[in-house]
Amino acid sequence: MKKYSISGAMLAGLMSLAACSNDEGVVADNNGAEQQFTITLASSGDRATRAAADRTLESEAADQSIEKVTLVVRSQDDNKVVYTYTLDNWNGTATNDDTNGHGKKLTFTIPKADKLGEGKYVVTAVGYNEGNYTLSLPNKGDVVDKNITATTPTGAEAKEVFAGEKKFNVTADKKIEGTDASKPIQSVDVTLHRQVAGAYGYFTSIPVKIGKTEVASIRMVSRSKNTVLTFGSFNSSFTTTDATVMYMVNGSVPATKTAKFLNGDEANVLFSAKITDWFPGGDDYKDGVYDKKDTNWTNPYTTGSYLKGSVFASNFIVPFSATQGKSTLELQLLDATGNVLYAWPVKLDASNDQIGKKGETASADLFGAGTAMGFAETADVFSLFRNHIYSIGIHKQDTSTTDPETPVPGTDQPTDLSKIQNVVIRVNDNWEALHHMSIDE
């Protein structure tokens, strides 16, 4: 996954950029070192150099595209907000950083007038794009003991968002504990992690008809779907190379049900694709399946590269808990009027590490511990956890092949649906975990 690192040095630097002119706020006073926070984005597949735009989930690559970073510093003693700052142009302001191969970073210096005095603090940082969420960001002077939340607009899908926090202490001489007191600049480091889950399906050899009825679309439905993210119970030990995996659901407030399972149970749509978007001329090879033999195949996306004859669909997802005793996901083929023609129960691969684990629910309270779920995950009954990506088929990179007829070994592997057999879900090490899922006959 991508990593954002915020250090005390960086915060100070950013703050000085926006709030001060010339040297104001960047010169240490006579009572302690300069206080800073540094934000670093370090991740393979970094997209921070391109123009800001919401990225779509085109593969399991750990890309990102954000413009704003907001920092909130609170006193641990009374939960009062003592400092806030928003950087409006992350991509245009951050400089290249070679940590872990790729990345961006910025250094923010706290202006002298706002320098933190003796006390215990916590800094929370959120990386996002404007309009994707309604954020519960507090103002300076507010007293808040709840974690920051983000709510998806009504009817909108989840977008990528990052967050993290760090506790730190400042001494009587305004130095940050745990740093080198001899240095004129002292930093607090914070790591920002992806707060959403992801899911995608990559398919080929899709049946043209089920019985005598034509297949018009394919979709994944779920038992649950949430609309609110809580930025708390962070996995601060997770890095891009050595993950200590957490199974954390930080989503709440269920979305309105908009679909049904084949058995009639209410459901939500995780992702969907219309066949005509990929095969506008239909089954022109006349062999009963949509695949690479159909010469009318096209890639409807403006970005991303997919094998000829394939169909791809995806979404970012607000994490949700499993419903005990009820299968979580179902892959469906639908007719033109939305009737389900065929469905496969979706499961995790038997070797998946998520099976047997008990997930946690993030606390709404500042520094509150997560709450363990009352039952263990199974292959059929499983949660979609924060910063985990769930896939059917394999598409590792956004541009994994420039030749849509030639797969890259180990990279492009759409699932063959003509055999009506198992399909797999997985989780990637650039995310916190990559889950293989399969569909049952």
Side-chain angles (χ1 to χ4, degrees), residues 104-318:
K104 292 278 187 177
K105 76 174 183 179
L106 275 171
T107 298
F108 305 86
T109 301
I110 299 178
K112 184 175 180 180
D114 295 297
K115 193 168 182 179
L116 302 175
E118 182 179 11
K120 296 180 179 181
Y121 301 94
V122 59
V123 55
T124 305
V126 182
Y128 59 100
N129 278 359
E130 192 73 50
N132 287 348
Y133 294 94
T134 300
L135 290 163
S136 63
L137 295 170
N139 298 310
K140 184 177 179 180
D142 290 349
V143 176
V144 288
D145 59 359
K146 301 295 182 183
N147 285 313
I148 292 169
T149 61
T151 302
T152 55
T154 302
E157 297 293 342
K159 299 290 187 179
E160 205 162 38
V161 61
F162 297 81
E165 70 183 19
K166 183 68 173 290
K167 294 179 181 179
F168 64 99
N169 298 336
V170 175
T171 62
D173 57 356
K174 296 186 178 181
K175 293 180 179 179
I176 297 172
E177 286 186 357
T179 61
D180 187 343
S182 66
K183 291 185 176 180
I185 298 176
Q186 298 179 347
S187 296
V188 176
D189 295 324
V190 181
T191 301
L192 275 66
H193 297 295
R194 185 182 287 103
Q195 297 298 297
V196 291
Y200 73 78
Y202 191 28
F203 311 105
T204 191
S205 299
I206 300 168
V208 173
K209 293 182 179 181
I210 299 296
K212 296 182 178 181
T213 306
E214 290 192 0
V215 173
S217 63
I218 184 169
R219 73 182 183 187
M220 179 86 83
V221 298
S222 62
R223 190 71 54 180
S224 302
K225 191 174 184 178
N226 284 328
T227 61
V228 177
L229 289 160
T230 295
F231 300 149
S233 304
F234 293 106
N235 188 359
S236 58
S237 63
F238 175 64
T239 69
T240 57
T241 57
D242 181 21
T244 302
V245 177
M246 286 184 73
Y247 297 91
M248 181 65 64
V249 170
N250 61 330
S252 62
V253 186
T256 301
K257 303 290 186 183
T258 58
K260 290 184 182 295
F261 284 83
L262 182 61
N263 68 1
D265 287 356
E266 290 191 330
N268 296 100
V269 177
L270 289 193
F271 59 71
S272 64
K274 292 181 178 179
I275 299 301
T276 53
D277 288 344
W278 297 82
F279 297 89
D283 177 26
D284 70 351
Y285 193 73
K286 307 301 182 185
D287 63 348
V289 293
Y290 295 109
D291 63 11
K292 65 181 180 181
K293 295 188 293 296
D294 295 303
T295 59
N296 64 312
W297 178 86
T298 185
N299 176 3
Y301 296 146
T302 57
T303 58
S305 176
Y306 305 97
L307 289 180
K308 181 179 179 181
S310 66
V311 170
F312 184 87
S314 65
N315 260 327
F316 292 110
I317 298 159
V318 175

Side-chain angles (χ1 to χ4, degrees), residues 22-37:
N22 299 325
D23 303 18
E24 183 184 357
V26 296
V27 178
D29 61 20
N30 294 324
N31 191 17
E34 191 171 281
Q35 297 172 346
Q36 293 187 339
F37 291 82

Side-chain angles (χ1 to χ4, degrees), residues 361-380:
T361 302
S363 173
D365 297 327
L366 188 64
F367 310 135
T371 302
M373 296 178 190
F375 59 93
E377 304 279 304
T378 71
D380 304 295

